[in-house]
């Protein structure tokens, strides 16, 4: 490993420790959600995916010397500012996004624009470390109910609905939060971004694939809800509930994933290891050369990271004290 890489990695580790010391509560909250809430369990794979994406670029990265980049501290400022707003306002989503943004800023400040352009995909993929999706549960419940009632009436079953409640001859069904499909939709969105940027080169193909990856799971979840209602009419509600959790929960959405990837397969036009830009392509970017005027000594960047972390921590403490008083 070259001296430049040793210095950059050392700077990165120190920066991570400094920002983690301030945002530790948010990282602890996120880890709890990843581990204990089914909607976010797929996030446990995101760090592994990020590591895999970086490993795919190892040969190209070996050709580049990272250099600490002072303007990268602006991203850290933005991240810590967002974190502070979330902490003070009590909005966890904002605080969590700020904590992740600050970490991304540390990467940019430690390794510089050339390296970060090369690993732009895994760097941006860090957004999926933030647990989000609860905000769309309500709308998804309504959409699922509307699809289910339409299919129920179409299949000859007399039914009436009010919002998320569907009344049928065998009983009243409710499209609960767990049945909204948010868990599968968020996981599918994460997968679709990964596939779109590692297997497609055309933006039109990426946009089409991501649109399909959002629309199809929503429709599929409505079909799932209808299937449960349909089976219940002849086999009983208890049997339908068990059938739903076993068959639909384990097999139906697996089929949806295979179906979506099967449609997209013929349009894949590159291998995953070829994603992003090569060293030669980055050398041809005029903007990269202009950005490199922001290079600074490692000691200057680490001093900036420590100062920003201390200021953010002090601001959060003062805000908490004012709130208590």
């Amino acid at each position: 490993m070259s001296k430049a890489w040793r210095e950059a990695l050392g700077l990165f580790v120190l920066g991570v420790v400094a920002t983690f010391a301030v945002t530790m509560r948010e990282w602890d909250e996120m880890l709890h959600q990843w581990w204990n809430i089914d909607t976010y369990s797929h996030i446990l794979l995101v760090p592994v995916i990020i590591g895999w994406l970086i490993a795919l670029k190892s040969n190209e990265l070996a050709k580049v010397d990272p250099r600490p980049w002072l303007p990268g501290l602006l991203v850290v400022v933005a991240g810590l500012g967002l974190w502070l707003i979330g902490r003070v306002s009590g909005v966890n989503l904002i605080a969590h996004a700020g904590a992740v943004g600050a970490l991304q800023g540390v990467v940019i400040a430690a390794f510089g624009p050339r390296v970060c352009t090369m690993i732009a995909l895994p760097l941006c993929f860090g957004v999926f470390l933030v647990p989000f999706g609860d905000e769309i549960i309500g709308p998804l419940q309504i959409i699922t109910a509307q699809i289910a009632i339409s299919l129920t009436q179409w299949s000859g079953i007399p039914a009436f609905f009010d919002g998320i409640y569907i009344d049928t001859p065998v009983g009243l069904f409710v499209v609960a939060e767990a049945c909204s499909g948010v868990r599968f939709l968020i996981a599918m969105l994460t997968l679709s971004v990964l596939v779109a940027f590692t297997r497609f080169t055309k933006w039109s193909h990426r946009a089409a694939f991501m649109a399909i990856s959002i629309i199809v799971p929503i429709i599929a979840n409505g079909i799932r809800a209808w299937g449960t209602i349909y089976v219940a009419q002849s086999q009983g509600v208890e049997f339908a509930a068990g059938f739903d959790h076993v068959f639909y929960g384990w097999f139906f959405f697996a089929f949806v994933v295979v179906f979506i990837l099967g449609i997209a397969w013929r349009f894949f036009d590159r291998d995953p290891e070829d994603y992003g830009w090569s060293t030669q392509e980055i050398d041809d970017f005029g903007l990269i050369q202009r950005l490199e005027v922001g290079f600074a000594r490692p000691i200057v960047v680490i001093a900036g990271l420590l100062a920003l972390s201390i200021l953010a921590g002090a601001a959060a403490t003062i805000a908490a004290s004012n709130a208590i008083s």
Side-chain angles (χ1 to χ4, degrees), residues 166-231:
I166 301 175
D167 192 10
T168 73
V170 300
L172 181 68
F173 292 84
V174 181
V175 181
E177 291 185 1
C179 300
S180 66
V182 65
R183 176 175 62 179
F184 182 65
L185 179 60
I186 298 303
M188 193 65 210
L189 176 62
T190 305
L191 176 63
S192 69
V193 170
L194 176 64
V195 173
F197 286 91
T198 56
R199 301 310 308 267
F200 297 112
T201 57
K202 297 180 180 178
W203 278 98
S204 58
H205 289 172
R206 292 171 179 169
F209 178 75
M210 292 184 66
I212 292 173
S213 298
I214 293 173
I215 295 171
V216 171
I218 292 175
I219 296 175
N221 192 60
I223 296 174
R224 172 198 176 205
W226 163 75
T228 302
I229 296 172
Y230 187 82
V231 171

Side-chain angles (χ1 to χ4, degrees), residues 94-315:
I94 296 177
H96 295 165
V100 172
L103 179 60
Q104 292 170 313
V106 170
V107 175
I108 297 172
F111 297 104
R114 190 173 293 269
V115 169
C116 289
T117 300
M118 191 172 294
I119 60 169
L121 177 58
L123 180 60
C124 295
F125 203 76
V127 169
F128 291 107
L129 292 170
V130 180
F132 66 92
D134 286 349
E135 304 77 19
I136 60 174
I137 288 178
L140 286 176
Q141 286 176 281
I142 299 296
I143 294 173
T144 300
Q146 290 175 338
I147 295 174
I149 188 64
S150 297
L151 291 174
T152 299
Q153 293 174 340
W154 172 79
S155 58
I157 300 171
F160 305 92
F161 80 103
D162 181 13
I164 60 174
Y165 298 93
I166 301 175
D167 192 10
T168 73
V170 300
L172 181 68
F173 292 84
V174 181
V175 181
E177 291 185 1
C179 300
S180 66
V182 65
R183 176 175 62 179
F184 182 65
L185 179 60
I186 298 303
M188 193 65 210
L189 176 62
T190 305
L191 176 63
S192 69
V193 170
L194 176 64
V195 173
F197 286 91
T198 56
R199 301 310 308 267
F200 297 112
T201 57
K202 297 180 180 178
W203 278 98
S204 58
H205 289 172
R206 292 171 179 169
F209 178 75
M210 292 184 66
I212 292 173
S213 298
I214 293 173
I215 295 171
V216 171
I218 292 175
I219 296 175
N221 192 60
I223 296 174
R224 172 198 176 205
W226 163 75
T228 302
I229 296 172
Y230 187 82
V231 171
Q233 306 307 307
S234 59
Q235 304 299 323
V237 175
E238 186 175 345
F239 176 85
F243 183 75
D244 174 69
H245 285 101
V246 175
F247 179 76
Y248 287 122
W250 288 100
F251 298 105
F252 188 70
F253 285 123
F255 170 78
V256 172
V257 172
V258 173
F259 173 73
I260 293 174
L261 292 178
I263 292 176
W265 191 273
R266 59 175 295 184
F267 299 102
F268 289 168
D269 52 13
R270 70 174 174 191
D271 294 326
E273 56 266 24
D274 296 328
Y275 82 86
W277 296 286
S278 66
T279 306
Q280 182 60 49
E281 290 172 326
I282 293 175
D283 288 338
D284 295 335
F285 292 163
L287 178 61
I288 293 295
Q289 297 174 4
R290 290 194 292 271
L291 290 175
E292 290 177 342
V293 298
F295 286 151
R297 296 173 59 190
I299 189 64
V300 174
V301 175
I302 191 57
L305 288 171
L306 291 174
L308 290 174
S309 299
I310 292 172
L311 288 173

